[in-house]
Amino acid sequence: MTAFAISGITYFFGFLVLPIIFGFIIYLVKFKHTIDVIKSIPGPPAIPLVGHGHYFIGKSPHENLLQFHAFAKTYGRTYKIWLGPELNIMTNDVQDAEVILGTTRFNDKAQQYVTLDPWLREGLLISRARKWHLRRKALTPAFHFKILEQFVEIFDRQSRSLLENLHKEHRMQTSKGFDLYDWVNLSTLDTICESAMGVSVNAQTNADSEYVRAVKTIAMVLHKRMFDIIYRFNLTYRLTKLAREEKKALAVLHGFTEKVIIQRREELLKAQQQTEDQSTNADADVGSKRKMAFLDILLQSEIDGKPLSNLDIREEVDTFMFEGHDTTSSAITFCFYNLALNPECQRKCFEEVIQVLGKDKSKPVTFEDLNNLHYVELCIKETLRLFPSVPLLGRKITEECEINGKIIPAGTNIGISPLQLGRMEELFPEPNVFKPERFEAGFSSEKVSPYAYIPFSAGPRNCIGQKFAMLEIKTVLANVLRHYEVDYAGNKDEEPLLIAELILRTKDPLMFKIKPRVY
């Protein structure tokens, strides 16, 4: 080999390797303090620059979940995960959860929530600091029981549309059963649209509409961006086909919401321009016939003495749409799964439904009826312990701090898993057994912290719509159970493989069979 060739190879080697070495040195200098501070927090071996990303590359979402379970088993309740330069500390310590969730000190959402920005902007779910505080204060009255009571008629009507689709499925069902989630998901979409905006998108009768397709696209985008390294970072994501599909879907969703906002605002302005008596009648019309949709309340709300702009309202309506759709679908489907696997619990639910609602299947469900379904509520709570709709809660540490003896550097993402907390033996004896009775005395006791059971999060930033969700879930369960006996068509001896992304779901569809009740 000539000296010229050797020098060329040496030059190429230096050109390729030296920048990597130089970048690694800068990386170490920049993160030296962070690395030193978290030395006492255990974690798996990391690769320079990549961190622990190699544990997740090429893995399926279910395999990623199993990996987190393996980390927890090996490294304990609190461990660290580096995803490139992004530090994540996962904790399943109840005392940590209480410190992090129990005050407004750690109110900023984790970096992972950035995937929601294009859709929700600065809505209540991901807004920060003073903006979050003012929005939360302004929106809380919208979830007063007097307002929620008006939504029950929507819950009942849309769940009856669900029954019509289940009737069709029953006529065609085979031994393999059918995918209940798809129908439930369309039902909750109709429900949340009408509750949020006062309009119906008729998803249950037109599942292929432009709006429904856009909602499904956004859900798919959010799932993919959670763990896939190609989609995780904006620099690479913008170059993908998925990013273009998201842009088209957002144009549909934002355009629809904005159109409804403008229309409703014009209607309210016209009503206010009438005489005092006519204005009173118009307001009554808005409150009764239109059921005072979430949008109507926002249009009449003020922050710092000023009405909300169309963009402000769109952010909150879209947030309500996101938080009240797939989460509720997940909870309802897992409820039916648990009741199908536990016939005695299903029998008790059915008997309570008949006791409260009577034997007239056409009788509408009322707010009072739902509040009297105590055992049904226990079954919902137990389902959310085993299968929380939101399996991971995330916060971002904005200033270096100490949490129960652990120094946490600024910029760290903290992850708390309601899914793993709900399956801990020391918190819930026989954690994998469906036992609704464990919630009979409520959940406050000297032995168990209220931060052990957090399917709706906890503290000041808990889910503002949890009562709304419970009422909707109860309505669907009550109406379906008084018409059908539900059976699981899958393998009853093995729990389905779970995928824990923004919303908990199963790797394969949960298949059900139904049998009409005769009484």
Side-chain angles (χ1 to χ4, degrees):
M1 184 177 291
T2 65
F4 178 78
I6 294 173
S7 64
I9 293 172
T10 304
Y11 175 78
F12 178 77
F13 179 79
F15 179 80
L16 184 66
V17 175
L18 287 180
I20 295 176
I21 295 174
F22 185 65
F24 180 53
I25 293 172
I26 293 176
Y27 178 83
L28 287 179
V29 171
K30 181 178 179 181
F31 291 97
K32 183 179 185 304
H33 174 73
T34 297
I35 294 170
D36 289 343
V37 163
I38 63 169
K39 275 184 178 178
S40 62
I41 300 177
I47 295 177
L49 302 179
V50 175
H52 302 100
H54 60 289
Y55 285 96
F56 303 101
I57 294 175
K59 298 284 186 67
S60 69
H62 171 67
E63 289 172 326
N64 286 329
L65 177 60
L66 292 180
Q67 185 64 73
F68 279 111
H69 287 323
F71 286 156
K73 187 175 182 179
T74 304
Y75 301 104
R77 295 181 183 177
T78 303
Y79 57 93
K80 60 193 173 192
I81 294 291
W82 286 92
L83 295 176
E86 183 183 290
L87 174 61
N88 300 270
I89 292 179
M90 310 300 295
T91 179
N92 294 311
D93 188 305
V94 173
Q95 292 181 330
D96 288 351
E98 183 168 0
V99 172
I100 295 163
L101 302 177
T103 71
T104 56
R105 182 184 178 192
F106 305 109
N107 245 15
D108 284 10
K109 291 300 181 78
Q111 182 67 24
Q112 287 81 357
Y113 288 81
V114 73
T115 57
L116 293 168
D117 284 352
W119 185 15
L120 309 186
R121 298 288 293 269
E122 294 185 83
L124 191 64
L125 178 63
I126 52 181
S127 57
R128 301 186 301 163
R130 186 171 183 269
K131 185 167 188 176
W132 169 82
H133 178 75
L134 292 174
R135 289 278 182 97
R136 178 82 184 206
K137 185 178 179 180
L139 295 176
T140 296
F143 294 91
H144 188 275
F145 74 90
K146 289 185 179 179
I147 301 295
L148 294 178
E149 188 174 357
Q150 299 180 59
F151 291 129
V152 172
E153 185 273 333
I154 298 174
F155 301 161
D156 184 68
R157 178 162 35 81
Q158 295 297 352
S159 63
R160 289 182 181 278
S161 294
L162 169 63
L163 285 171
E164 293 177 11
N165 287 319
L166 294 186
H167 178 63
K168 296 174 186 176
E169 284 288 355
H170 173 256
R171 287 187 301 177
M172 299 183 296
Q173 77 178 357
T174 65
S175 59
K176 293 182 179 179
F178 64 94
D179 184 357
L180 178 61
Y181 177 85
D182 285 346
W183 290 119
V184 168
N185 197 242
L186 293 174
S187 176
T188 58
L189 179 57
D190 273 339
T191 298
I192 202 67
C193 274
E194 190 169 353
S195 301
M197 295 183 278
V199 297
S200 179
V201 293
N202 300 312
Q204 296 186 85
T205 55
N206 186 12
D208 196 41
S209 70
E210 184 181 46
Y211 187 87
V212 175
R213 290 200 308 271
V215 170
K216 290 181 179 179
T217 297
I218 291 299
M220 180 261 294
V221 166
L222 295 177
H223 290 319
K224 283 184 175 292
R225 294 202 68 188
M226 279 300 292
F227 286 106
D228 195 312
I229 197 71
I230 295 175
Y231 300 122
R232 184 73 178 274
F233 302 104
N234 286 330
L235 185 63
T236 53
Y237 173 65
R238 291 194 189 103
L239 303 176
T240 65
K241 180 183 177 183
L242 193 68
R244 295 189 292 273
E245 291 176 355
E246 180 191 31
K247 186 176 180 180
K248 292 179 182 178
L250 287 174
V252 173
L253 297 177
H254 287 161
F256 183 86
T257 306
E258 287 169 0
K259 180 180 178 181
V260 176
I261 290 171
I262 292 170
Q263 181 179 338
R264 277 307 283 146
R265 192 184 288 279
E266 289 176 352
E267 291 174 4
L268 287 173
L269 286 174
K270 287 179 181 178
Q272 291 170 1
Q273 291 170 358
Q274 296 175 355
T275 63
E276 185 173 350
D277 289 341
Q278 291 173 326
S279 177
T280 301
N281 292 332
D283 287 342
D285 180 66
V286 169
S288 57
K289 293 182 180 179
R290 294 297 296 263
K291 295 295 181 297
M292 202 61 176
F294 184 62
L295 169 59
D296 296 320
I297 297 167
L298 290 171
L299 285 166
Q300 298 175 52
S301 298
E302 293 184 347
I303 293 180
D304 286 340
K306 299 178 181 178
L308 278 68
S309 68
N310 284 1
L311 178 59
D312 293 333
I313 294 172
R314 194 192 78 190
E315 289 174 347
E316 299 306 339
V317 169
D318 287 344
T319 296
F320 193 43
M321 289 289 301
F322 167 73
E323 291 200 88
H325 179 213
D326 284 342
T327 52
T328 311
S329 301
S330 173
I332 292 171
T333 305
F334 280 118
C335 275
F336 281 122
Y337 169 76
N338 280 324
L339 293 178
L341 289 186
N342 297 273
E344 180 62 17
C345 295
Q346 184 173 170
R347 182 187 64 78
K348 289 182 179 180
C349 284
F350 170 69
E351 288 178 352
E352 183 179 68
V353 168
I354 297 304
Q355 180 183 355
V356 172
L357 297 177
K359 294 186 177 182
D360 181 2
K361 296 178 183 179
S362 65
K363 177 184 179 296
V365 174
T366 67
F367 183 73
E368 184 180 0
D369 292 335
L370 297 177
N371 286 330
N372 288 327
L373 294 177
H374 303 299
Y375 186 76
V376 172
E377 183 167 320
L378 296 182
C379 290
I380 296 171
K381 289 180 176 179
E382 178 70 341
T383 293
L384 292 175
R385 177 187 69 81
L386 288 164
F387 303 104
S389 299
V390 180
L392 183 66
L393 308 174
R395 295 288 188 272
K396 189 164 188 175
I397 305 302
T398 55
E399 296 181 359
E400 187 170 300
C401 62
E402 180 180 335
I403 297 177
N404 293 323
K406 299 179 286 289
I407 303 299
I408 310 297
T412 303
N413 295 306
I414 299 281
I416 302 170
S417 174
L419 177 62
Q420 292 197 5
L421 283 171
R423 302 293 185 106
M424 292 174 68
E425 178 80 36
E426 58 267 43
L427 299 176
F428 302 96
E430 298 181 276
N432 296 318
V433 178
F434 186 72
K435 295 174 63 176
E437 291 77 13
R438 74 174 85 232
F439 287 97
E440 273 184 326
F443 196 69
S444 56
S445 70
E446 295 180 0
K447 294 182 180 180
V448 184
S449 165
Y451 288 85
Y453 178 74
I454 49 174
F456 292 104
S457 189
R461 199 143 193 177
N462 67 348
C463 175
I464 195 172
Q466 58 185 285
K467 291 181 180 178
F468 177 99
M470 288 294 289
L471 290 170
E472 182 182 355
I473 297 168
K474 280 186 178 182
T475 304
V476 174
L477 292 180
N479 272 332
V480 171
L481 289 177
R482 64 176 171 164
H483 283 81
Y484 292 104
E485 182 179 338
V486 181
D487 189 25
Y488 182 56
N491 188 339
K492 297 181 180 181
D493 296 323
E494 293 183 7
E495 184 174 292
L497 301 179
L498 299 177
I499 295 175
E501 296 169 326
L502 281 174
I503 308 299
L504 188 70
R505 56 193 180 97
T506 56
K507 178 178 179 293
D508 300 308
L510 295 176
M511 306 298 285
F512 292 86
K513 292 185 288 186
I514 54 177
K515 178 182 177 182
R517 293 190 186 272
V518 179
Y519 58 91

